[in-house]
Amino acid sequence: MTAKLVIILSFITLGANVMLGQVLRPNRPGPENNRPAADSLPVGRPTSLAPSPGMGSSNLDSITISKDGLDDQIDYNAADSMYFDIKNKQIHLYGQADVKFQTMEIQANYILIDWKESTMSAEGKRQPNGEWLGKPHFKDGSQEFTTSSMRYNYKTYKGVIHDAQTNQEGMNIVGEKGKFFGVGNDTTKRNVIYNKNAIFSTCDLEHPHFGIRSNKQKIVQDKVAVVGPCNLIIGDIPTPLWLPFGFFPLKLGQRTGLIFPQNYQYSEAWGFGLDNVGYYLPINDKMDLQLTSDIYLKGTFRLHALSNYKKRYKYNGRVNVDFAYQRNEDSEGVITHQPSGGLQWTHNQDAKAHPYRSLGGNINIQTGNYQRNNRTDAAARLNSSLSSNMSYRQRFDKPFDLSASFSHSQNTNTRNVTISFPTVNFQTQNLYPFKRKVKTGGEKWFERIQMRYTSEARNQFTAKDSTLFTQATLDSAKFGIRHNVTAGTSFNLLKFFNFTPSMSYKEVWYFKTQEKTFDPTLTIQMDTTWNDDSTEYIITNDTTKFGHIVTNEMWQFKPLRQYNAGISMSTKIFGTILFKKGKVRGLRHVMTPSFGFNYTPDFTNPDWGYFKTVQKDLRDDELLQYSIYDNNRISGFEQPSSSGKQMALNYGFSNLFEAKVFSKRDSTLKNIKLFNSISVNGNYNFAADSLQWSVVNIGGNTNFFNNLTSFRFGIVLDPYDFNRKTGSRINELNINNNGKLLRLSTWNANISTNITVERLRDLLKGEDTDKKVANKPRPDEEGTEANIANLQGPEDFLSLFENFSISHNFTVSQRYYTSTGKDSISISTHTISSRGTIKLTPNWNIIVGNFGYDFQSKRITYPDFSFSRDLHCWEMGVAWQPQFGSYSFFIRVKPGKLDFINVPYRKGIQDSRGFGGF
């Protein structure tokens, strides 16, 4: 009976569709749509409209389709029930209804298909609690919107919508009533919506917290929204801000346009100002350019240029250029001008771009102390060093490498800048000149002899950041070329002893040297001042110089040549003690002794011509020794050694101490390091005529409390006695003068602690954080989210400080001071600092850029605090740097098309009134 009813309904539906020239096809039941409602029984429906086996296909082939028929079929589905009204030519879909036609799709709680009028109507159901059930959702290509009710003609592509909400390129548009039209063919088709009483906002709620309201709007999909007279409303309250009309670009992708200022502020020193106002220009699909400025009425301004570029599978990078001109006027009316600038460039080459060539690195250089003069955050104030390294490398098929680079180092405290450009390096890989091409038998010892050649040409500038780009800096450039040839091998003797002979030859080509001469002219320098009645000079101080040294710089090619040779031997000695009971089940000591001999000639010999002497004073014949290369010191380039001939026997002992500990938690044995390293080294110089023994250096380090704390120490022991007045060593053994083999010369120790919540939590659990991180599953591994959740553990009070860290640094040293004639212990560093984010609630955050205390100077070290509040589509924040009296406040729309709606207030360093700033 059921099968017969289904067949009858199928023929009735097919006949009606054929007569109207249309085909409506219900979807096949499947796991995702064959879901009967809880309050209804499953309704049998045909899976296809194919003829039964008893029917001939010739009947269907002879059917004529109406010229008014649709070009495509309509697919429909409902989870609850479907009602076919043949008389009125309608289909009613109830419960999670879904209709698809070409690129259009409608989903709603109820949908009515009227094939007589060629329309579809959709409605949602409002529940007693005010929430919507099955609110209609319309989608056509990239156009989507939700509405309380709608009607759509699928032939004319026109429709009417009520209480519609759509999102266009980050803009949430909510309208009371609208009409929409499909315009264009398949490739240029766009939906145009005419709205009545609509609001434009970046708030994604159905009832936005703010927006721009107008009575009439026209929205062209993915192109533009045009509005008539409009008013800014906040919290349903109209503001005095009205506009006669407005345009909101909705075009996808990059586009040219103005950048509205992000901040409007007033500075007592600089006047009224606008921040970050400018222009955006997409140069092409791979590069863009953003030009912005900060402008103040009293003459201060900043210029910023930012460009991002990327070529897929090739490279990507970012360039940021800044220039600031600050005009300041003090209380006495004196005007000062302070220009400064900065350049940041980051370039990364894809690993697949080229097998032999690469270009990459970063540049971060400033002039005029730009960072500290224009920023107040802790990172800018406390970071005292900047560096750059940009290099190009070419690797050849043969074992050669060529590279060219730009490097720079800068100290913002001293404002010293060192730039090395260009730097060209050429090097070979390890070469084995005696390796046989055809091997017969085992490898010979001489086949392991390896050689390597490296060369470097460098041009270096050194200057203050304020005089970096001046002619004087360019004229003071230092340059040279360095060559280095090394040879060595390694082999074992008696199985356990490793021998490594080596030799090297270095040659540096310098093109500038110096010559010093003595000028015996007697000079008297007097400091004078006027007497009380200003009638005559009074001599307050006079200085007599008995001659002076004159330094002459000479341009000449003068190579520096150095060579040395040596041999070293090393082995390993193991010691282990095991215990059957107790927590400590074993101790292990690994010692690596090494001995070597090194020879270096005496380069102070006049025959080399590297050192010369000059008279210092008319009153005696004492001579000053100097190097002719002192005026051309290039970092990393060798200078002639003034220590004389070296025939040194070197010794060293490296030690590692470990323990095997029994864990009652899981009944396993764990290895822990008691000391990561303890090393002892020194040498004896057979060629020296005095002080043959060097000092003995002892150093070591270890970690405590799950690597929360690290401890490092260094000790210097001297076998010779010293002069109590000058503090220098004398050629008298300490054991002869004081009865002790070694004398404690100096020592230092450092304890540094970095506490994070993760390490503290693992310490309480008895887990090793470093091993846990190493074993953490990769993102592409199965079950990653569950595994990471298990590693993180449940939330607790410490979770508030998950992104917070506390650092403590303590350094103490002891040395002999000639001024007091006593040994003295001094603390050079004792600081504690904290930084991070404390998430009080999902919406409240406390950001500590830095807060610390320096126990040496007894002062707080640059506190930097920020508070932020997430207000859904708005955000509010306060920042305060009390040391310089700077602070800021803002309440603004989150980044988007309307982020120019902003209420800022800021007080910078230029308006500082001391600590606190209030």
Side-chain angles (χ1 to χ4, degrees):
M1 181 66 182
T2 303
K4 185 176 180 180
L5 178 62
V6 169
I7 293 175
I8 293 174
L9 289 174
S10 300
F11 273 101
I12 293 174
T13 305
L14 176 62
N17 292 342
V18 169
M19 287 187 294
L20 294 171
Q22 304 176 14
V23 178
L24 284 81
R25 188 186 68 185
N27 286 342
R28 291 177 179 269
E32 70 282 354
N33 52 27
N34 191 19
R35 297 174 296 180
D39 58 350
S40 63
L41 297 174
V43 178
R45 57 180 78 107
T47 59
S48 67
L49 297 180
S52 62
M55 296 178 60
S57 61
S58 59
N59 294 331
L60 295 178
D61 295 338
S62 62
I63 294 176
T64 303
I65 304 298
S66 171
K67 63 180 180 179
D68 297 327
L70 296 177
D71 296 334
D72 206 343
Q73 64 189 17
I74 298 177
D75 297 333
Y76 56 90
N77 185 32
D80 191 341
S81 60
M82 293 187 294
Y83 170 65
F84 296 85
D85 187 349
I86 304 302
K87 181 179 179 180
N88 297 315
K89 301 177 183 179
Q90 294 177 343
I91 299 177
H92 301 264
L93 308 176
Y94 297 93
Q96 300 181 25
D98 185 8
V99 176
K100 296 180 181 178
F101 174 65
Q102 295 181 345
T103 60
M104 181 274 295
E105 180 179 6
I106 300 177
Q107 297 174 341
N109 180 63
Y110 166 73
I111 298 179
L112 169 64
I113 304 176
D114 189 331
W115 63 74
K116 181 178 180 181
E117 301 293 336
S118 300
T119 61
M120 299 180 190
S121 301
E123 294 179 0
K125 181 179 181 181
R126 193 149 200 164
Q127 301 183 94
N129 61 1
E131 295 184 359
W132 283 92
L133 177 65
K135 199 171 185 181
H137 179 81
F138 176 89
K139 181 178 180 181
D140 188 2
S142 60
Q143 174 73 59
E144 291 187 61
F145 58 80
T146 58
T147 177
S148 62
S149 63
M150 65 171 292
R151 188 180 182 188
Y152 179 72
N153 189 304
Y154 48 80
K155 278 190 174 181
T156 62
Y157 301 106
K158 298 179 181 180
V160 178
I161 53 179
H162 298 273
D163 302 321
Q165 180 182 8
T166 183
N167 188 285
Q168 297 278 343
E169 273 291 279
M171 290 289 291
N172 182 29
I173 305 172
V174 180
E176 179 180 315
K177 182 180 179 181
K179 298 180 181 180
F180 66 98
F181 305 87
V183 181
N185 55 33
D186 292 341
T187 58
T188 63
K189 182 179 178 181
R190 277 197 180 95
N191 290 317
V192 179
I193 301 176
Y194 293 90
N195 254 332
K196 176 184 178 182
N197 194 19
I199 183 172
F200 291 76
S201 177
T202 54
C203 180
D204 58 359
L205 295 180
E206 182 180 343
H207 188 78
H209 290 132
F210 79 100
I212 298 177
R213 182 184 296 276
S214 64
N215 289 328
K216 295 182 180 180
Q217 308 85 24
K218 178 182 178 180
I219 304 169
V220 182
Q221 175 189 347
D222 300 333
K223 190 174 182 181
V224 69
V226 184
V227 302
C230 51
N231 174 228
L232 173 65
I233 62 170
I234 299 176
D236 292 334
I237 301 176
T239 66
L241 181 60
W242 280 86
L243 295 174
F245 58 88
F247 293 89
F248 297 92
L250 304 176
K251 185 179 179 181
L252 296 173
Q254 296 177 326
R255 50 203 174 272
T256 301
L258 296 174
I259 299 175
F260 283 91
Q262 298 297 305
N263 287 323
Y264 318 85
Q265 59 178 303
Y266 172 74
S267 167
E268 294 180 3
W270 297 344
F272 288 97
L274 298 177
D275 283 359
N276 201 37
V277 56
Y279 195 76
Y280 178 80
L281 177 66
I283 299 176
N284 52 42
D285 293 340
K286 303 179 180 64
M287 180 181 294
D288 65 357
L289 177 63
Q290 176 179 303
L291 301 173
T292 57
S293 61
D294 309 329
I295 305 172
Y296 297 85
L297 291 182
K298 291 187 178 181
T300 295
F301 64 89
R302 303 187 189 98
L303 303 177
H304 315 281
L306 174 63
S307 176
N308 295 280
Y309 58 91
K310 181 176 182 179
K311 187 174 183 180
R312 185 176 295 182
Y313 309 123
K314 292 294 184 180
Y315 53 79
N316 64 82
R318 178 186 179 96
V319 181
N320 188 18
V321 181
D322 301 292
F323 175 78
Y325 179 84
Q326 294 182 2
R327 179 186 181 276
N328 297 304
E329 183 176 354
D330 60 17
S331 58
E332 298 179 356
V334 178
I335 298 176
T336 59
H337 305 274
Q338 188 174 17
S340 60
L343 168 65
Q344 294 85 38
W345 177 30
T346 301
H347 181 87
N348 301 298
Q349 179 174 308
D350 193 288
K352 302 176 183 178
H354 199 281
Y356 301 114
R357 289 196 297 267
S358 64
L359 172 65
N362 66 86
I363 293 177
N364 184 11
I365 190 170
Q366 299 177 8
T367 63
N369 215 358
Y370 175 85
Q371 181 172 280
R372 293 192 173 184
N373 288 335
N374 294 275
R375 293 172 55 186
T376 59
D377 57 286
R381 307 297 303 184
L382 299 178
N383 182 22
S384 60
S385 61
L386 303 174
S387 61
S388 305
N389 188 17
M390 182 68 66
S391 62
Y392 168 83
R393 183 179 180 183
Q394 171 72 58
R395 185 163 55 92
F396 301 93
D397 292 335
K398 295 182 179 180
F400 304 120
D401 287 342
L402 178 67
S403 65
S405 65
F406 169 94
S407 62
H408 126 276
S409 62
Q410 185 172 356
N411 188 301
T412 57
N413 290 331
T414 62
R415 302 182 65 175
N416 291 328
V417 183
T418 300
I419 295 178
S420 297
F421 177 76
T423 299
V424 181
N425 289 274
F426 176 81
Q427 63 182 10
T428 66
Q429 300 174 5
N430 291 332
L431 306 176
Y432 297 88
F434 304 109
K435 187 176 285 293
R436 292 172 293 175
K437 295 183 179 179
V438 180
K439 293 186 178 181
T440 56
E443 186 180 41
K444 304 297 182 181
W445 66 270
F446 55 83
E447 291 187 79
R448 293 195 293 270
I449 296 177
Q450 61 183 11
M451 299 181 64
R452 190 179 188 187
Y453 168 77
T454 61
S455 65
E456 177 181 357
R458 181 182 298 181
N459 186 52
Q460 183 172 291
F461 306 93
T462 301
K464 295 290 184 180
D465 63 357
S466 58
T467 61
L468 186 59
F469 300 103
T470 61
Q471 187 62 41
T473 301
L474 297 177
D475 295 339
S476 63
K478 302 174 182 179
F479 45 89
I481 302 175
R482 178 178 63 174
H483 308 269
N484 187 17
V485 179
T486 60
T489 187
S490 179
F491 56 88
N492 291 335
L493 286 181
L494 302 178
K495 190 178 181 179
F496 300 107
F497 298 93
N498 180 262
F499 285 82
T500 306
S502 63
M503 63 176 297
S504 68
Y505 172 79
K506 300 176 182 179
E507 182 170 316
V508 183
W509 294 351
Y510 288 111
F511 300 90
K512 286 197 298 185
T513 60
Q514 65 176 1
E515 182 82 23
K516 294 187 177 183
T517 58
F518 180 70
D519 184 355
T521 305
L522 185 67
T523 58
I524 300 177
Q525 181 177 352
M526 295 183 296
D527 297 328
T528 60
T529 185
W530 290 97
N531 61 2
D532 295 337
D533 55 3
S534 301
T535 57
E536 61 180 4
Y537 285 109
I538 299 177
I539 298 176
T540 58
N541 184 33
D542 67 281
T543 304
T544 303
K545 292 184 178 180
F546 297 90
H548 63 279
I549 298 175
V550 178
T551 301
N552 300 310
E553 188 174 76
M554 297 181 297
W555 287 85
Q556 64 173 352
F557 173 69
K558 183 64 176 180
L560 167 67
R561 300 182 178 92
Q562 293 180 322
Y563 62 88
N564 62 68
I567 186 172
S568 64
M569 182 275 293
S570 65
T571 187
K572 288 185 179 293
I573 302 174
F574 300 88
T576 305
I577 302 177
L578 299 178
F579 307 100
K580 296 182 179 180
K581 297 181 179 180
K583 186 172 183 178
V584 179
R585 296 298 178 88
L587 296 174
R588 187 188 191 201
H589 175 208
V590 181
M591 182 172 66
T592 306
S594 61
F595 299 92
F597 180 81
N598 185 70
Y599 171 78
T600 303
D602 182 9
F603 293 110
T604 62
N605 191 313
D607 295 338
W608 291 96
Y610 302 153
F611 290 92
K612 295 183 179 181
T613 58
V614 62
Q615 186 177 351
K616 294 171 44 178
D617 198 293
L618 281 172
R619 294 168 293 182
D620 55 51
D621 296 331
E622 183 181 359
L623 299 179
L624 172 68
Q625 185 183 65
Y626 68 94
S627 168
I628 64 173
Y629 305 106
D630 277 343
N631 66 324
N632 201 23
R633 291 184 176 270
I634 304 174
S635 57
F637 278 39
E638 288 76 12
Q639 289 285 320
S641 173
S642 60
S643 58
K645 186 177 182 180
Q646 296 286 319
M647 296 177 62
L649 176 66
N650 307 308
Y651 61 88
F653 302 90
S654 179
N655 301 272
L656 172 65
F657 295 91
E658 295 178 307
K660 191 179 292 292
V661 179
F662 178 76
S663 175
K664 294 183 179 180
R665 183 186 300 269
D666 51 8
S667 300
T668 59
L669 295 175
K670 299 180 179 179
N671 292 330
I672 61 172
K673 291 183 178 181
L674 301 179
F675 275 93
N676 298 329
S677 173
I678 297 180
S679 61
V680 181
N681 57 75
N683 66 75
Y684 180 85
N685 186 9
F686 293 95
D689 55 1
S690 63
L691 302 175
Q692 291 91 347
W693 288 101
S694 71
V695 297
V696 180
N697 294 291
I698 303 175
N701 67 86
T702 188
N703 299 319
F704 303 104
F705 312 123
N706 191 26
N707 293 332
L708 286 174
T709 301
S710 64
F711 171 71
R712 304 175 186 275
F713 70 92
I715 302 174
V716 178
L717 303 176
D718 198 334
Y720 293 98
D721 202 356
F722 72 105
N723 188 317
R724 268 62 180 176
K725 294 183 178 180
T726 62
S728 59
R729 305 170 76 197
I730 60 176
N731 192 31
E732 297 179 9
L733 292 174
N734 190 68
I735 191 172
N736 297 331
N737 292 354
N738 303 308
K740 295 181 180 180
L741 180 63
L742 297 173
R743 172 181 61 86
L744 179 61
S745 176
T746 183
W747 62 266
N748 65 82
N750 173 264
I751 299 176
S752 60
T753 302
N754 187 20
I755 301 176
T756 61
V757 170
E758 183 180 14
R759 290 192 178 274
L760 186 59
R761 185 184 287 119
D762 291 341
L763 175 64
L764 299 176
K765 294 180 179 180
E767 299 178 355
D768 190 330
T769 304
D770 296 325
K771 289 185 178 180
K772 187 178 73 173
V773 172
N775 297 328
K776 184 177 290 187
R778 298 189 304 270
D780 57 346
E781 292 181 340
E782 187 176 356
T784 296
E785 294 183 0
N787 291 334
I788 293 178
N790 292 332
L791 290 175
Q792 292 176 341
E795 291 189 1
D796 51 19
F797 174 75
L798 292 177
S799 299
L800 286 174
F801 305 91
E802 196 71 45
N803 299 317
F804 198 79
S805 65
I806 300 176
S807 302
H808 175 258
N809 195 14
F810 179 80
T811 302
V812 61
S813 60
Q814 179 253 318
R815 56 172 294 187
Y816 178 83
Y817 289 89
T818 57
S819 58
T820 61
K822 297 179 181 179
D823 289 335
S824 179
I825 297 177
S826 63
I827 300 174
S828 57
T829 304
H830 190 193
T831 60
I832 185 171
S833 63
S834 59
R835 63 192 62 193
T837 303
I838 304 174
K839 196 172 186 63
L840 296 179
T841 69
N843 295 324
W844 272 106
N845 289 305
I846 298 177
I847 303 170
V848 180
N850 180 75
F851 181 72
Y853 187 78
D854 190 332
F855 295 91
Q856 286 297 101
S857 59
K858 295 181 175 58
R859 63 182 180 89
I860 297 175
T861 55
Y862 200 81
D864 181 10
F865 305 103
S866 299
F867 303 87
S868 65
R869 176 71 164 92
D870 190 328
L871 302 172
H872 187 256
C873 51
W874 290 68
E875 58 186 0
M876 180 182 67
V878 178
W880 181 37
Q881 297 83 30
Q883 182 168 335
F884 285 92
S886 59
Y887 55 86
S888 63
F889 167 81
F890 65 85
I891 179 169
R892 63 194 178 198
V893 174
K894 286 185 177 179
K897 293 184 180 297
L898 301 179
D899 57 5
F900 60 87
I901 303 176
N902 185 9
V903 181
Y905 182 78
R906 184 173 64 183
K907 183 178 181 181
I909 299 177
Q910 70 276 5
D911 301 319
S912 176
R913 295 176 180 172
F915 189 89
F918 299 102

